[in-house]
Amino acid sequence: MAAESIFTAGDDKGVFVPTEHAGGPWDPNALHGGAAAALIVSELEQLQSELQLRFGKLSFELLRPVPSAPLSLSIELIRAGRRVQEVAAELRHRDEPVCRAKALKLQPVQEGVLEHVATDLMKHPPAPPLPPPDSPNIQTLSGEGPLRASFASAVEMRWLTQPWTTGPAKMWMRLHKPVLPGRPISPLASLAAASDFGNGVAAELRFDRFLFINADLTVHLWREPRSTWIGLDARTLLEAGGTGVAVNTLHDLEGPIGSAYQTLVVQGR
């Protein structure tokens, strides 16, 4: 019987066991970066604080492939301000770090401040909104395409552009399996998972001939998501002799909310 969540809790506190829904596309023995990011964010959301701070930045350094094996997660508050807090997390396998992450939480912009903004932000949004995920002629796919991964069984994809073709892509994505049993799927965990798909859905190279694995993921938010549906407006930039970068404007059902960046390791198979 298929698991109902992406991870399960291990026997020890802070240990998590990936299920068949967490696997990645590049190595059958490694997890999808989006699964690891969703687990870390889901645990960060459990931290209790009396301060009404908001997530403004999430960053993940994928130090090596995250193995499909029990993983331990530690979280530490490294900056405990009243207006700005920074939290560090480290995911380990057998005491070896495989992913390091940081979250920056900040005091929200107060309503009265916007009265003094010279530009009308409502008339000049940072990006046009995407058509909604229930738009006519949208294509619904889950777990299909050249970048098959078992983590794709935990997400629902609705494409606004032609699926799995090279070039920029626009689509909607959401988790439809919880990160952990009994825990509701949060918009922020869904965003963390979706953000790691940018290099795959907006590939500029053929999957059967090239690898373009992201070594990191950085997300900047001008507000937290309010829906589990996350829109991706993604493209990949490549420079001979330089690096590859996947750039992604993030949306929720109310409009654009932030940007995600992935630094890519590009090579032939």
Side-chain angles (χ1 to χ4, degrees):
M1 180 180 295
E4 294 302 317
S5 59
I6 302 168
F7 293 88
T8 59
D11 294 334
D12 297 324
K13 182 177 176 59
V15 174
F16 303 93
V17 181
T19 71
E20 65 266 31
H21 301 300
W26 308 111
D27 182 339
N29 299 311
L31 302 190
H32 196 290
L39 172 64
I40 292 170
V41 166
S42 184
E43 285 297 289
L44 289 175
E45 288 186 290
Q46 303 307 304
L47 298 178
Q48 301 297 319
S49 174
E50 297 178 356
L51 304 176
Q52 299 300 311
L53 303 182
R54 301 289 184 265
F55 286 92
K57 180 184 177 183
L58 299 166
S59 59
F60 307 86
E61 295 181 24
L62 299 165
L63 306 176
R64 52 188 51 83
V66 181
S68 182
L71 303 164
S72 60
L73 178 63
S74 61
I75 296 175
E76 180 184 3
L77 180 64
I78 58 177
R79 181 179 178 184
R82 297 191 62 81
R83 291 178 294 183
V84 179
Q85 289 186 353
E86 188 172 7
V87 185
E90 187 172 82
L91 197 62
R92 297 184 299 274
H93 174 242
R94 295 178 177 173
D95 294 328
E96 182 178 23
V98 293
C99 178
R100 292 194 178 107
K102 286 186 179 180
L104 200 62
K105 301 182 70 174
L106 303 99
Q107 176 181 285
V109 177
Q110 297 179 357
E111 295 291 338
V113 171
L114 296 184
E115 299 175 3
H116 303 278
V117 175
T119 303
D120 186 343
L121 296 177
M122 299 303 293
K123 293 181 179 178
H124 302 280
L130 291 177
D134 58 356
S135 299
N137 302 320
I138 203 165
Q139 298 191 58
T140 300
L141 297 173
S142 291
E144 302 178 27
L147 195 61
R148 292 182 180 91
S150 53
F151 185 51
S153 65
V155 301
E156 181 179 354
M157 303 178 181
R158 296 189 179 183
W159 293 76
L160 295 162
T161 54
Q162 185 64 29
W164 301 119
T165 56
T166 55
K170 296 181 180 182
M171 66 178 303
W172 288 95
M173 183 179 296
R174 67 175 173 182
L175 287 176
H176 64 70
K177 288 189 178 294
V179 176
L180 288 163
R183 182 175 295 179
I185 299 171
S186 73
L188 200 66
S190 200
L191 177 138
S195 297
D196 195 66
F197 275 81
N199 62 321
V201 301
E204 287 290 346
L205 299 167
R206 288 178 50 174
F207 294 100
D208 59 344
R209 295 182 56 192
F210 296 92
L211 300 174
F212 34 94
I213 304 169
N214 60 302
D216 70 349
L217 170 64
T218 303
V219 177
H220 290 269
L221 297 172
W222 49 85
R223 69 167 171 82
E224 292 185 6
R226 300 185 185 121
S227 67
T228 56
W229 276 115
I230 303 298
L232 312 182
D233 186 352
R235 67 188 188 278
T236 296
L237 307 174
L238 299 174
E239 178 69 27
T243 59
V245 177
V247 182
N248 192 350
T249 301
L250 303 171
H251 300 246
D252 68 2
L253 294 178
E254 298 179 25
I257 57 174
S259 299
Y261 302 88
Q262 299 165 289
T263 311
L264 308 181
V265 179
V266 181
Q267 64 185 64
R269 288 185 181 270

